[in-house]
Amino acid sequence: MSLTTGTAPHAMDSSSDTEVESESDADTEVIRVSGGSALAWWQRLRGGHGADRRPSGALSALRRVADWAAFPDTYAGWSRRARAAAAARIERGGIDAILSSSPPDSAHLAARSLARDHHLPWVADFRDPWIALHFRAPPTPWHRARHARSERSVLADAWSLASEADFV
């Protein structure tokens, strides 16, 4: 089982992301949960068209506010919906393991909770580093410590890790 919203935390349309399905074997079920981040919604509303754009203007200001308030990222609301959808699927049976892929980092927190609650092995895939992501720095030392603590706990709690990044 994999929970996915798109290919990057700033992806605009998860329905176009077929990467997970194309790279998964036939026994892997991908659960799509609509939504995403409030910032992605704002960018779409303002005419943004995809993952190649970085926040600017009002969106940049909203991003800075979100860096202070949303933990671990602006997908925290989506991750709660994704966790509920995955829990409902797990309860129907036939699920052997959970795969989470980030960004968004909140996917790992949802998957960790599911793995603990349902006693399932969990693989955490880091497509990018969490705390060392070059274009997103935590706004304060307190935020940095909180992110670092969460990243360490995800790395410690996952049954297995996958990444192309050097930090894992």
Side-chain angles (χ1 to χ4, degrees), residues 85-105:
R89 175 58 189 91
I90 290 168
E91 289 168 8
R92 291 197 315 262
I95 300 298
D96 300 314
I98 299 168
L99 166 67
S100 61
S101 186
S102 71
D105 302 313

Side-chain angles (χ1 to χ4, degrees), residues 29-50:
E29 179 179 347
V30 176
I31 298 175
R32 290 206 174 276
V33 177
S34 65
S37 79
L39 293 176
W41 175 84
W42 174 260
Q43 190 173 11
R44 229 181 357 260
L45 183 69
R46 304 277 302 171
H49 297 294

Side-chain angles (χ1 to χ4, degrees), residues 7-8 10-14 16 39-56 59:
T7 58
H10 47 275
M12 302 307 295
D13 181 8
S14 65
S16 64
L39 293 176
W41 175 84
W42 174 260
Q43 190 173 11
R44 229 181 357 260
L45 183 69
R46 304 277 302 171
H49 297 294
D52 57 330
R53 294 191 53 194
R54 292 281 171 238
S56 63
L59 185 61

Side-chain angles (χ1 to χ4, degrees), residues 5-28:
T5 60
T7 58
H10 47 275
M12 302 307 295
D13 181 8
S14 65
S15 63
S16 64
D17 178 27
T18 58
E19 182 180 340
V20 174
E21 287 95 343
S22 67
E23 292 180 1
S24 302
D25 63 36
D27 293 331
T28 301

